Amino acid sequence: MLKIENLHAEIDGKPILKGLSLEVNAGEIHAIMGPNGAGKSTLAYVLGGRPGYEVTQGSVTFNGKDLFEMEPHERAAAGMFLGFQYPVEIPGVSNVQFLREALNSQRKARGEEPLSGGEFLKLAKEKAALLKLDMEMLKRNVNVGFSGGEKKRNEMVQMGILDPAFAVLDETDSGLDIDALKVVGEGINAIMRKPDKAVMLITHYQRLLDYVQPDFVHILAAGRIVKTGDAELAKQLEAEGYDEVMAA
Ligand code: ADP
Ligand code: MG
Ligand code: MG
């Protein structure tokens, strides 16, 4: 589904990703862990096509197509979803408006009929219930005045509605209390744990991985994947720390 080969990227002329390679197949959940400043968020931004992140070498294909030939909205319409560490607030636009517009523009790009207001609300209610987010929150302006945990659950509702084939989730667990962590973890499983979908889960902590069990765990350090293992690797990191595990 996603094939990253020897990816190099820089911000303001400063190299951040330095030869990163990674392959994600349908049906797989990949956890990306690594020390602060390793380039994890940069990887997510590069995949999303955020301005200012310059790819200087290497390639990424998404379902066989050159990702860098696709505009960010084309990546989304092709089934890529990005969830960010710091979700944006959009004053003046309600969640419901925002999501219906996002979904229908993706459907249009795929040649599908738009959902009517009623159809959309039914879908939104179902996904909000899955993430235990009050429908009232969906009527409010996007993320404005939401707590950290509400933003993250809201983001998972967005993911449920857009129903992507591939999701990159950057620290979706940050700022969540124990109960919210469980709801978000179970939401990720319900939405994305399917044979035709895949997830790249960027996280600092093992605890989300107790709910969303990864097939692969990668350590990203200094802009490259330096070690790959299974769920045990995350447990070992939690117990021993990056320095010790990377030195081994
Ligand atoms: P991580 O998510 O693994 O903690 P990041 O990808 O956020 O790491 O950052 C990687 C490196 O890129 C860090 O050294 C960080 O300071 C630098 N960096 C990130 N964003 C910018 C930016 N907008 N301008 C300059 N340097 C940046
Ligand atoms: Mg960080
Ligand atoms: Mg980060």
Side-chain angles (χ1 to χ4, degrees):
M1 184 176 286
L2 187 82
K3 188 168 189 179
I4 306 174
E5 282 182 305
N6 189 35
L7 183 63
H8 291 250
E10 52 187 52
I11 308 169
D12 285 338
K14 180 185 167 195
I16 310 289
L17 299 182
K18 302 169 189 171
L20 189 149
S21 297
L22 180 64
E23 205 173 326
V24 177
N25 297 301
E28 295 175 349
I29 294 188
H30 290 246
I32 311 268
M33 304 181 81
N36 286 322
K40 303 183 298 298
S41 293
T42 300
L43 173 61
Y45 288 134
V46 166
L47 294 177
R50 188 177 167 123
Y53 290 74
E54 202 199 338
V55 174
T56 53
Q57 236 192 95
S59 66
V60 178
T61 57
F62 181 49
N63 288 326
K65 284 196 195 146
D66 182 349
L67 187 74
F68 302 132
E69 292 291 314
M70 302 162 86
E71 294 295 328
H73 70 271
E74 294 173 322
R75 300 178 195 193
M80 183 178 282
F81 176 88
L82 294 115
F84 287 110
Q85 193 171 354
Y86 305 107
V88 291
E89 300 184 1
I90 314 180
V93 179
S94 81
N95 254 317
V96 171
Q97 288 172 305
F98 173 75
L99 286 170
R100 187 173 164 214
E101 175 61 33
L103 177 63
N104 280 339
S105 73
Q106 290 188 12
R107 289 177 68 92
K108 190 173 173 205
R110 292 193 294 260
E112 298 164 9
E113 289 295 310
L115 290 193
S116 69
E119 287 167 329
F120 177 77
L121 270 184
K122 185 165 172 279
L123 178 67
K125 273 185 189 150
E126 181 193 313
K127 302 304 174 186
L130 184 68
L131 273 301
K132 298 189 166 55
L133 192 74
D134 197 318
M135 264 312 276
E136 287 307 307
M137 303 288 298
L138 287 192
K139 294 180 186 156
R140 283 168 49 182
N141 287 350
V142 180
N143 287 325
V144 177
F146 284 27
S147 72
E150 287 164 348
K151 284 182 184 174
K152 298 296 168 145
R153 277 185 290 147
N154 189 39
E155 191 160 63
M156 294 302 101
V157 172
Q158 290 179 15
M159 184 169 80
I161 287 170
L162 298 175
D163 196 27
F166 177 62
V168 180
L169 303 176
D170 190 4
E171 296 196 33
T172 293
D173 49 349
S174 76
L176 295 182
D177 63 34
I178 304 293
D179 294 345
L181 185 71
K182 183 164 186 278
V183 169
V184 165
E186 287 171 351
I188 295 171
N189 286 329
I191 299 162
M192 298 302 296
R193 174 62 87 187
K194 310 216 165 132
D196 56 346
K197 294 179 185 275
V199 180
M200 183 184 286
L201 197 60
I202 298 172
T203 179
H204 274 296
Y205 303 105
Q206 148 66 25
R207 38 177 215 169
L208 179 63
L209 305 182
D210 286 336
Y211 297 109
V212 186
Q213 283 171 10
D215 301 292
F216 300 92
V217 173
H218 309 276
I219 303 178
L220 201 171
R224 313 179 56 182
I225 302 291
V226 296
K227 205 175 177 94
T228 293
D230 59 14
E232 277 309 307
L233 179 59
K235 292 189 178 130
Q236 195 192 346
L237 279 173
E238 185 95 340
E240 300 173 16
Y242 288 110
D243 286 345
E244 194 140 330
V245 173
M246 290 192 295

